[in-house]
Amino acid sequence: MENLSKSMQYTPRELLKKYFGYHDFRVRQEEVIDTILAGQDALVLMPTGGGKSLCFQIPALIFEGLTVVVSPLISLMKDQVDALNANGINAVSLNSSQSFEEQKAILNQLYYNQTKLLYVSPERLQESGYLFEFLKRITVSLFAIDEAHCISHWGHDFRPDYLNLSSLRIHFSKVPVMALTASADNTTQQDIAQLLKLRDFKLFRSSFDRENIHYFVKPKAEMKNFLPEFLRKQEQNSGIIYCLSRKSTEKMAAYISSLGYLAAYYHAGMDADLRNHVQTEFSKDNIKIVVATIAFGMGIDKSNVRYVIHIDLPKNIEGYYQETGRAGRDGAKAEAYLFFSKGDVMKWRMMIDSGEDLEVNAILHRKLSKMATFAESSSCRRQFLMNYFNEKHNGNCNSCDICLSSLSEYDGTVDAQKVLSAILRLEERYGIGMIADFVRGANVQKISDQMRSIKTYGVGSDKPDFYWKEIIRQMIQQGMIIQTEEQFPKLKISEKSMLILQGNLKATFVRVKSPEVSKTQSGQENYDKQLFTNLRLLRLQIANSQGVPPFVVFSDSTLIELCTFYPQTPNELSEISGFGSYKIEKYGHLILKAIVEYCTKNNIPSVIHQKVKRRK
């Protein structure tokens, strides 16, 4: 096939080092690249920050023709184009913000094969059919559909214009298509494959475990006491705070600003120019904190976001996972906090019930129920998230509030039997709240006189409501109880339940005590903080002179490596992740000058041999 002819001057691994500064591919990346180079379609599921972009950027450098990347947001395209250009790779985007002359110049580049990647929105690709006709006149080697979950009605961020991408197969029948997304359940995966007309495709699914993100859930009542101290510790870092409504984002941004921090709100109701201004200033680190609505995507490829805070509960796990994934894209330690209250669940239920499609409402309620269960869980947060995405995890991650707390196990078989007996005697018709009220003998109107006459009513009156609800949640997590997936979930007996009722299986539960302070210090802390401050300032100066965001120049994780191994020659600098030959030539002398001066002054030797030894 003519459009798949390749220039094999460099291997994928050589290109990885030359342009991106990495010695090794991450899990599954090389397999995806080989599949695309063979001309086959691919559906790629990788977490945010997991390296999806390299899966099409490396083939783009090998193919003779153009790689067209479909991306949902102008800001997201700009960040990726800036990053590629900073690595010495010619990439462009076509969007509505450009003048006629700018667009004409870009099309001229494409026509004369002067660029390897074109980023374009689905709307722009379909607009008037002109771009389609233009692309037919040149050699297109690959279509990469980023954020592919947007094509599915069942996805968490449906975009109608993505549906039109099915026409790619009509106009470019021989060009391979790669669909990429960070979060898609089985139904969404099937939609992506069907609607994009992927043929004989390979499914690639890498681990969804973002080990560098630490997950914490707190009661919403603690939020006002927590924020001031937390923000003080994160004063030099960038963060995103999510709220449910536009009004609450504005209130929260005003509150944070009153504490003395550079903060701005960001939501869909703002003037487009103001939104773009906030986004640009955040990318450049001139604004440290953005407060955004959870229903509106930020579309930022900013790698040095060190924390994400959800003031309100997201409506599903997919959205929560993707939003928390905007922290720590560079691989350095990041934190995700969620403040939870039952009131948020009720607000979402009311919003869901306002929809007219009962089938859709039922699915949304099930997803919301899973999100609430995550927030209320007393088991490892990471394990819960991985299990949700059908990935096994043994728990004990040592990087979430549960695993960083003191846990004590106890035999709760008798209490489990009380709960199971109540479920059976009430004929498996009720949910967590009713069963907890029944067991503790609550004097509430919803419990009828007939129900009060049942023998097990009030058998757990010696323990409070929160105890019984926590027991029930742990029983669900351990498979002792089945919770139905519907708008008002009911509790059902399982095979495990009968073994417990018969006394043939012990029920073990955990009590969670306060977090151990010593454990919360885990993460990438063993680097030179003063040198890091110096290099971060130098990075900002370089970024300002180049007119790009600081994270485009170097990621925080690259700076951390510099401040751990103290490279002092160009050869040593090439061992640092993120330093390809282009960046060494462009910025190497500035970085080395700063490090050598610091090391000379403080009598610090290079220890780059330690990194080389680890890599080998």
Side-chain angles (χ1 to χ4, degrees), residues 539 542 550-556 558-559 578-579 583 587 591:
R539 177 180 66 176
I542 293 172
F551 67 87
V552 166
V553 180
F554 300 114
S555 68
D556 279 6
T558 294
L559 294 189
F579 270 97
K583 282 193 174 177
Y587 307 121
I591 296 296

Side-chain angles (χ1 to χ4, degrees), residues 108 117 159-160 214 264 311 342 375 381 437 459 464 490 497 504 529 578 595 607:
N108 210 42
L117 294 105
R159 287 276 292 271
H214 294 212
I311 299 299
K342 280 286 190 182
R381 309 286 182 195
D437 284 343
V459 291
K490 300 179 181 64
S497 305
N504 295 324
K529 308 300 188 302
I595 294 174
V607 288

Side-chain angles (χ1 to χ4, degrees), residues 329-549:
R329 294 172 67 105
D330 54 9
K333 180 185 173 184
E335 295 176 310
Y337 282 86
L338 167 62
F339 289 92
F340 174 72
S341 78
K342 280 286 190 182
D344 287 345
V345 179
M346 300 308 297
K347 288 177 187 175
W348 275 120
R349 282 180 178 164
M350 290 173 63
M351 284 189 271
I352 290 170
D353 288 337
S354 66
E356 296 181 359
D357 190 324
L358 297 181
E359 182 185 1
V360 172
N361 290 357
I363 291 173
L364 295 178
H365 276 295
R366 286 202 295 271
K367 288 178 177 286
L368 174 63
S369 179
K370 289 285 188 183
M371 187 69 240
T373 301
F374 168 81
E376 295 175 322
S377 174
S378 59
S379 62
C380 173
R381 309 286 182 195
R382 191 176 305 279
Q383 182 184 47
F384 189 104
L385 291 173
M386 296 306 99
N387 290 349
Y388 181 84
F389 290 111
N390 299 314
E391 184 175 331
K392 289 185 178 180
H393 192 286
N394 62 6
N396 303 313
C397 70
N398 202 36
S399 56
C400 74
D401 57 318
I402 301 299
C403 295
L404 290 170
S405 300
S406 297
L407 303 177
S408 61
E409 288 191 350
Y410 68 96
D411 184 347
T413 305
V414 174
D415 285 344
Q417 290 171 335
K418 291 176 181 179
V419 169
L420 294 172
S421 179
I423 293 171
L424 277 175
R425 290 180 182 274
L426 294 178
E427 300 175 345
E428 302 179 308
R429 292 188 293 126
Y430 299 100
I432 294 175
M434 174 63 91
I435 297 300
D437 284 343
F438 181 85
V439 171
R440 70 186 180 90
N443 185 21
V444 292
Q445 189 175 1
K446 64 183 177 181
I447 299 180
S448 65
D449 290 338
Q450 183 181 356
M451 293 166 71
R452 293 169 197 260
S453 67
I454 297 174
K455 185 178 178 181
T456 49
Y457 172 68
V459 291
S461 59
D462 58 324
K463 295 183 177 71
D465 177 62
F466 72 83
Y467 172 83
W468 289 111
K469 287 181 177 176
E470 177 56 29
I471 283 287
I472 294 170
R473 281 192 286 267
Q474 291 194 41
M475 292 177 74
I476 293 169
Q477 291 157 21
Q478 295 184 49
M480 302 177 194
I481 299 173
I482 297 169
Q483 186 177 35
T484 63
E485 293 189 344
E486 53 192 305
Q487 181 174 350
F488 300 104
K490 300 179 181 64
L491 302 181
K492 305 283 185 182
I493 297 299
S494 68
E495 291 182 16
K496 213 171 184 180
S497 305
M498 301 312 298
L499 294 173
I500 294 169
L501 282 169
Q502 294 162 4
N504 295 324
L505 181 66
K506 187 170 76 170
T508 303
F509 303 109
V510 297
R511 290 189 183 94
V512 181
K513 298 179 182 178
S514 58
E516 296 178 13
V517 176
S518 60
K519 285 188 178 181
T520 62
Q521 303 306 315
S522 61
Q524 292 157 304
E525 302 291 345
N526 189 26
Y527 61 92
D528 193 315
K529 308 300 188 302
Q530 182 56 56
L531 180 57
F532 183 83
T533 299
N534 297 353
L535 293 181
R536 183 152 60 176
L537 180 60
L538 176 58
R539 177 180 66 176
L540 180 61
Q541 293 169 350
I542 293 172
N544 289 339
S545 69
Q546 299 288 323
V548 297

Side-chain angles (χ1 to χ4, degrees), residues 207-355:
S207 173
F208 275 66
D209 190 4
R210 293 283 304 282
E211 294 182 356
N212 63 310
I213 299 180
H214 294 212
Y215 298 96
F216 303 90
V217 179
K218 288 180 170 290
K220 186 170 281 193
E222 295 182 12
M223 185 262 295
K224 279 293 176 76
N225 288 331
F226 170 85
L227 269 182
E229 179 62 16
F230 177 80
L231 294 177
R232 185 188 66 77
K233 292 178 181 177
Q234 297 280 350
E235 188 172 3
Q236 298 301 317
N237 295 325
S238 296
I240 303 173
I241 298 177
Y242 286 106
C243 298
L244 181 58
S245 70
R246 298 174 183 180
K247 186 176 180 180
S248 57
T249 64
E250 295 178 11
K251 268 183 81 174
M252 180 57 66
Y255 168 68
I256 293 172
S257 296
S258 73
L259 296 175
Y261 301 104
L262 297 171
Y265 60 85
Y266 183 98
H267 58 66
M270 297 165 58
D271 176 78
D273 289 339
L274 181 56
R275 271 207 319 269
N276 291 335
H277 172 74
V278 170
Q279 197 152 296
T280 299
E281 292 300 288
F282 183 57
S283 292
K284 292 181 176 180
D285 286 347
N286 294 332
I287 292 175
K288 290 293 186 182
I289 303 166
V290 167
V291 186
T293 50
I294 58 179
F296 194 78
M298 286 289 289
I300 283 183
D301 201 27
K302 183 176 167 73
S303 67
N304 63 335
V305 175
R306 298 269 65 89
Y307 62 89
V308 167
I309 299 173
H310 283 86
I311 299 299
D312 301 304
L313 186 76
K315 63 181 177 181
N316 55 49
I317 295 287
E318 289 92 344
Y320 170 76
Y321 177 80
Q322 190 170 60
E323 286 152 10
T324 56
R326 291 184 178 126
R329 294 172 67 105
D330 54 9
K333 180 185 173 184
E335 295 176 310
Y337 282 86
L338 167 62
F339 289 92
F340 174 72
S341 78
K342 280 286 190 182
D344 287 345
V345 179
M346 300 308 297
K347 288 177 187 175
W348 275 120
R349 282 180 178 164
M350 290 173 63
M351 284 189 271
I352 290 170
D353 288 337
S354 66

Side-chain angles (χ1 to χ4, degrees), residues 170-208:
I170 299 170
H171 296 275
F172 303 91
S173 59
K174 295 182 179 180
V175 178
V177 175
M178 176 190 293
L180 308 101
T181 180
S183 54
D185 57 20
N186 290 333
T187 304
T188 305
Q189 291 173 39
Q190 292 168 14
D191 261 11
I192 292 170
Q194 180 183 350
L195 295 170
L196 287 176
K197 301 188 186 324
L198 301 183
R199 59 191 178 203
D200 190 28
F201 69 93
K202 283 189 178 182
L203 173 65
F204 294 94
R205 181 189 179 95
S206 66
S207 173
F208 275 66

